[in-house]
């Protein structure tokens, strides 16, 4: 899932202050799971922005809506019947959803209420951690199912670096060393010789270094 968190309220208040009519849009997918931009967060944010506007003596009309998914055009279309009544969209979706609003309604400001952080999963209630950096050419089969790109602070393909200490990363001792995790997994799998294999330099063209990416499945296109 994509993990995001709400921007500081002060930043959002400043962002919306030029507008008198605001459409706040939440998303029922990833940002609902990480409690950042679902229906409940949209309600809370709308209440906080209304109170702030009242306190500052600014008129502010807000409509709240939460869409099934904000990264698919058909759902974004659902606000078209009433979008013209509002000056701006405050998106509680991830940044992909926010950009879909900007693309679909070019005359409306699309404002991000969230900071989109990473792709990951939950470790425990209220705790999410990065697990994939979207490199576009997965090598988990080489590393015992632990991603050296997302979980090593230096994205090393042949690790560990000289700073790994007691299983922790030199960048921050609270972070487990990704390469220690890979070693532990290879030991558990009985695949220790795999650790000595030198991984060739990675072709980063499939990651962000190759520019904006796109997947085309011609069998699914209509
Ligand atoms: S190797 Fe690439 S695709 Fe696989 S988990 Fe790591 S970053 Fe994601
Ligand atoms: S200590 Fe481990 S996780 Fe940290 S940068 Fe070095 S190899 Fe990567």
């Amino acid at each position: 899932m994509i993990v995001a968190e709400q921007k500081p309220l002060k930043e959002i208040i400043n962002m919306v202050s030029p507008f008198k009519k605001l459409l706040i849009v939440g998303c029922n997918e990833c940002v609902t799971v990480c409690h950042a931009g679902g229906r409940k967060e949209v309600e809370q944010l709308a209440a906080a922005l209304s109170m702030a506007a009242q306190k500052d003596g600014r008129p502010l009309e807000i409509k709240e809506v939460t869409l099934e998914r904000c990264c698919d055009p058909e759902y974004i279309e659902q606000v078209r019947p009433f979008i013209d009544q509002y000056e701006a969209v405050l998106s509680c979706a991830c940044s992909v959803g926010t950009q879909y609003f900007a693309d679909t309604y070019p005359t409306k400001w699309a404002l991000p209420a969230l900071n989109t952080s990473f792709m990951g999963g939950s470790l425990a209630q209220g705790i999410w951690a990065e697990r994939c950096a979207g490199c576009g050419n997965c090598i988990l089969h080489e590393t015992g199912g632990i991603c050296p790109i997302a979980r090593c602070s230096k994205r090393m393909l042949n690790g560990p670096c000289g700073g790994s200490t007691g299983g922790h990363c030199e960048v921050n001792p609270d972070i487990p060393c990704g390469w220690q995790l890979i070693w532990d997994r290879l030991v558990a799998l009985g695949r220790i010789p795999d650790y000595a294999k030198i991984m060739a330099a990675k072709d980063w063209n499939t990651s962000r270094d190759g520019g904006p990416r796109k997947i085309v499945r011609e069998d699914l296109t209509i």
Side-chain angles (χ1 to χ4, degrees), residues 151-154 156 160-161 163-164 168-170 177-179:
R151 303 198 67 183
C152 166
S153 306
K154 296 176 191 165
M156 296 187 72
C161 71
S164 179
H168 298 275
C169 176
E170 70 168 347
C177 168
W179 273 97

Side-chain angles (χ1 to χ4, degrees), residues 47-81:
L49 293 179
S50 291
M51 280 192 277
Q54 270 177 26
K55 190 166 152 269
D56 296 344
R58 280 185 289 113
L60 179 62
E61 182 187 325
I62 292 176
K63 181 177 174 68
E64 303 162 32
V65 59
T66 299
L67 304 180
E68 197 52 36
R69 198 157 54 241
C70 290
C71 53
D72 265 329
E74 55 265 44
Y75 294 106
I76 300 284
E77 281 300 322
Q78 290 174 356
V79 304
R80 192 174 290 282

Side-chain angles (χ1 to χ4, degrees), residues 131-140 147-150 202:
R131 286 292 181 270
C132 173
C135 78
N137 188 4
C138 195
I139 53 170
L140 287 174
C147 173
I149 298 160
K202 190 170 171 65

